[in-house]
Amino acid sequence: MKRSMTRLIFSWLLASLFLGSVSAVYAQDALQQAASGLDEAQQTAAQAKLPADVRVVIDVSGSMKQNDPSNLRQPALELLVQLLQDDSRAGVWTFGRYINMLVPHKPVTGRWREDANRKAADINSVGLFTNIGEALEKAAYDHDRPNPNYRTSLILLTDGMVDISRDPAENEKEWRRIVDEVLPKLRDAGYVVHTIALSDNADQTLLNKLALQTDGIAAVAKNADELMKIFLQAFDQAAPAEQVPLEGNSFVIDSSIEEFTALIFRSPGSDQTRLISPDETEYSFDKEVEDVNWYRAEAYDLITVQRPLEGEWRVIADMDPDSRVTVVSNLNLLVKPLKSNLFKGDQLDVSLLFQDNGKTITRPDFLQLLDIDSTVELGESQQVWRERISDGAVPGNGIYSTTLTMFEEEGRYQLEIDVDGKSFKRRFSHGVSVREPFGVTKEKVLRDGRTYYQINVETFSQFVDPQNLQVVARIKDPRGRSSIKPFSLNPSDIWSLELAPEHEGTYDVRLRISGEDNSGSSFDVDPEPITITYPDEDNPFAMETEPEPVAEPEPEPQAEPKPEPKPEPKPEPKPEPQPEPIPEPEPVVEEESSSWPLYVGLAVGNLLILVLAFFAYRMIMGSGDGDSLKDLEEAVEASEQADTEPEPEAPPAQEPESPAEEPDMDEVSAAEPEPQPEPAAEAVDAIEVDEPPQADEDLADNLMNEELDLSSDASAEADLMPADEDVAAEAEDLLADLGMGDDDLADAGGDDSFSLDDFAPDNMDDGEDEENKS
């Protein structure tokens, strides 16, 4: 019995110990979960409550005179200055070639605002260059020691490209420095860069890199309205503020709100804005009231009311949809910072909580009263998604979470979270841009009368290096034939391929992008196919340029300048230019009729050569030794050398223009009816301009280059004497003009001192000088 009782007591003790240890473990887990829940809530609240550090970098280059003629940068900066909260920090820099700190980077106070508003009037457009890189570095002067107590953002406002020098190579080098050195520093320091381009000519590739790789906004403002709204979007991302819903023209203020600021964008031509309080008190710009600060600009009113009355307030104005009411309250809706950029198919995780006087609210009786709804709208497509976030059990740690999955199309999404607490209302707004991981664009280029299509590919992901990508295209032409062509990477990190369509119809282009991300994971992406229709309606010259074969345009421009004297017969028979021999005889006849003076000059020159040769023959035959023959050969060689030295390449280069070939023009024109007569005509014209003596000297050179057999009188006479009696008669007339007869020739032949110099100019050098002058 005792032994049984002992066993029973021992078993009970063991069971108690086991149950106690299990309870302790469960209690510890519960405490850890509660602590982790509180830690998560604290982290979420801490991240959501970080004050803003906003640094504005404004382009003041000369091109701003065209892209911002009204200097809307001033009111945009003034709006930002007014919206900044007192616990934030801010600074303003301007840049052209040099960088100037327009407003010092300091904590935002009333005095800082006054100074910023006054200096905003100094924004101009007088800079000579666009030194974007150094401006970013100046604004991020403390990137190596980032302050974790602030959410730091840079807002870059520019209209141009990297331009620090007139040398394109220097600008390209600076572009790479910004991408490879400046951007990583900003990203590693946790800076978010928002870029606003004031022109389509701005460097979109660089601005996209700066914004997307730091999760900022990248937008283009094409007019004044867009500039103000985009500037406001960038500010909302940099310094998000708690709002109350503005429904219609009214909003509700609860007892926890210490201050509200109503930003009312007026429609053009609207009446003066009025504000009606719950007790029907009317406020306006021209009425000064205590606790009401009214700032009026050309396009908006900014009204701040301290210690406002609880209840419904009304706005009397023709308001723009972008109007909003922000509040400063002890009861705060805090949303964990959200991504500003997503890729198609990505999800957006949302976490939010409430705090009362800085403490997270976890009381179920309070949380059960909340209706929390999310609304997501895609641009102007009228696509809207709604979800009730507060459905289900009340979270023990006070954090409401959801995952949004509707981002399947590219575009700008607007998220709004509305909270209805029965006695109060709150709203949170956030914009999200959704893109493809790789941007693919197509542009048409007209060059040299032809149509080209350039396809560009760039990456928007900060986790992909363009240097490690491979981009190829499979192109299917209208005939059904396919080809594979690779893209080439240019210095701006864009992959490009240029297509020159040759056949009418539709070209299908399918891309394959392969590579590795920064973690080493490989990927293959197939973007949407591209369709090219050739020719298209936008190209009025497409029908003219497309049918032309590639080889035909080249000979046509060469033939067009030649028939300038007679343009009529040439353009009409374009497809059959060569069968027509009709226009050819006319220029030949004209050339022959105009070349009679030339032939007369040639005949006289030939006679002169023959006379000189005859004297040489008589001299040789009358001499008793071979010295005269040797002298003649040396004179011939000297003459050949003197004639060939000035233009060694002249004879082959001037073949078409050589007078010795002029009689062959008929043969050339007969063999080549279309192209050759025209250059022959040009050669004749050129010869007609030259003086006859020059042509005679050329013919003399040709004769001097021939080998003559002077071994006997018979052979000499056969080679030197003219066969035509008329030519002999002309020779006798020429000797008579010179005052010489046969006796003179005979006397000269018996003189041993006879030389060709007797019939030449004073010396051979003088003759060469005259020849060179001619």
Side-chain angles (χ1 to χ4, degrees), residues 47-48 90 94 197 199 288 321 338 383 393 419 602 635 730 752:
Q47 295 176 8
T94 59
S199 169
E288 294 185 5
L338 302 175
Q383 296 188 60
V419 179
L602 295 177
E730 291 180 3
D752 293 340

Side-chain angles (χ1 to χ4, degrees), residues 229-535:
K229 293 177 181 179
I230 293 174
F231 207 88
L232 187 60
Q233 290 174 6
F235 174 79
D236 286 343
Q237 306 292 87
E242 189 176 7
Q243 303 178 21
V244 296
L246 182 57
E247 301 171 338
N249 282 42
S250 63
F251 57 94
V252 176
I253 297 298
D254 60 81
S255 59
S256 65
I257 295 176
E258 299 176 351
E259 176 182 300
F260 75 79
T261 299
L263 175 60
I264 309 299
F265 285 100
R266 303 186 307 272
S267 299
S270 62
D271 296 334
Q272 182 177 352
T273 302
R274 292 177 294 157
L275 187 63
I276 310 298
S277 69
D279 63 357
E280 298 299 323
T281 301
E282 182 176 308
Y283 301 92
S284 61
F285 172 70
D286 53 5
K287 292 182 180 179
E288 294 185 5
V289 180
E290 188 179 0
D291 295 335
V292 176
N293 182 17
W294 198 301
Y295 182 86
R296 180 179 176 84
E298 183 178 355
Y300 64 87
D301 291 277
L302 193 64
I303 312 161
T304 300
V305 179
Q306 297 177 351
R307 295 182 293 275
L309 291 177
E310 179 182 354
E312 183 182 75
W313 290 69
R314 290 174 294 150
V315 179
I316 309 300
D318 187 6
M319 291 191 304
D320 188 274
D322 290 319
S323 301
R324 81 277 305 278
V325 179
T326 59
V327 296
V328 176
S329 171
N330 294 326
L331 182 62
N332 306 116
L333 168 63
L334 303 179
V335 180
K336 189 176 182 178
L338 302 175
K339 292 183 177 180
S340 299
N341 298 280
L342 298 176
F343 296 131
K344 284 179 60 175
D346 285 353
Q347 300 176 348
L348 185 66
D349 295 327
V350 180
S351 298
L352 59 94
L353 54 81
F354 271 90
Q355 280 193 344
D356 184 10
N357 290 319
K359 295 181 180 180
T360 301
I361 300 176
T362 58
R363 301 193 318 268
D365 59 338
F366 175 86
L367 299 179
Q368 288 176 353
L369 298 176
L370 302 180
D371 290 332
I372 306 175
D373 297 309
S374 68
T375 303
V376 179
E377 183 175 358
L378 173 56
E380 299 178 355
S381 66
Q382 306 300 321
Q383 296 188 60
V384 179
W385 296 265
R386 292 184 174 87
E387 178 185 343
R388 175 62 59 87
I389 300 177
S390 56
D391 283 348
V394 174
N397 59 1
I399 300 177
Y400 289 89
S401 299
T402 188
T403 300
L404 305 178
T405 61
M406 65 284 299
F407 308 104
E408 299 294 336
E409 298 182 28
E410 292 186 82
R412 177 75 178 176
Y413 292 75
Q414 187 65 31
L415 166 65
E416 289 186 350
I417 298 176
D418 289 309
V419 179
D420 185 354
K422 306 306 184 285
S423 62
F424 67 94
K425 291 183 179 183
R426 294 291 186 274
R427 170 172 289 178
F428 173 83
S429 297
H430 182 76
V432 179
S433 295
V434 177
R435 293 179 172 85
E436 291 276 8
F438 299 93
V440 181
T441 58
K442 176 188 70 176
E443 59 180 328
K444 183 175 63 176
V445 180
L446 295 178
R447 185 172 65 248
D448 299 331
R450 291 206 59 188
T451 299
Y452 299 86
Y453 292 89
Q454 182 169 310
I455 302 175
N456 299 321
V457 176
E458 62 178 317
T459 176
F460 293 140
S461 174
Q462 61 176 304
F463 304 109
V464 176
D465 184 2
Q467 304 290 336
N468 296 329
L469 290 180
Q470 291 182 347
V471 185
V472 296
R474 183 180 68 82
I475 305 167
K476 185 176 181 181
D477 65 16
R479 301 172 298 172
R481 299 181 180 179
S482 297
S483 60
I484 304 295
K485 294 186 177 181
F487 283 63
S488 59
L489 181 64
N490 64 27
S492 298
D493 289 348
I494 296 180
W495 291 87
S496 300
L497 174 65
E498 187 174 80
L499 302 180
E502 298 180 358
H503 306 281
E504 292 188 2
T506 301
Y507 290 76
D508 294 325
V509 183
R510 296 181 179 272
L511 306 183
R512 167 61 61 90
I513 305 173
S514 304
E516 293 184 355
D517 58 21
N518 294 345
S519 64
S521 301
S522 60
F523 59 85
D524 292 310
V525 178
D526 298 328
E528 292 292 330
I530 297 175
T531 300
I532 297 175
T533 302
Y534 178 79

Side-chain angles (χ1 to χ4, degrees), residues 23 104 133 141 172 211 273 297 302 335 450 494 556 595 605 634 698 752:
S23 300
Y141 64 92
E172 182 178 319
T273 302
L302 193 64
V335 180
R450 291 206 59 188
I494 296 180
E556 286 181 3
S595 60
E634 291 177 355
D698 294 339
D752 293 340

Side-chain angles (χ1 to χ4, degrees), residues 84-105:
L84 282 169
Q85 298 180 0
D86 288 340
D87 59 349
S88 59
R89 297 195 305 174
V92 182
W93 288 260
T94 59
F95 69 95
R97 170 186 291 182
Y98 307 106
I99 288 79
N100 174 47
M101 180 181 284
L102 184 67
V103 182
H105 180 234

Side-chain angles (χ1 to χ4, degrees), residues 26 46 99 101 111 139 203 207 220 230 428 519 552 566 634 665 711 727 736 758 773:
Y26 276 106
I99 288 79
M101 180 181 284
R111 185 172 182 178
D203 190 343
L207 298 183
V220 179
I230 293 174
F428 173 83
S519 64
E552 288 184 4
K566 296 183 295 179
E634 291 177 355
M665 285 195 304
S711 59
V727 173
D758 295 338
K773 291 180 180 180

Side-chain angles (χ1 to χ4, degrees), residues 22 29 36 56 114 128 201 241 322 375 394 463 483 512 648 695 711 729 754:
V22 171
D29 289 344
S36 64
V56 186
E114 294 177 0
L128 297 179
N201 296 327
D322 290 319
T375 303
V394 174
F463 304 109
S483 60
R512 167 61 61 90
S711 59
F754 174 79

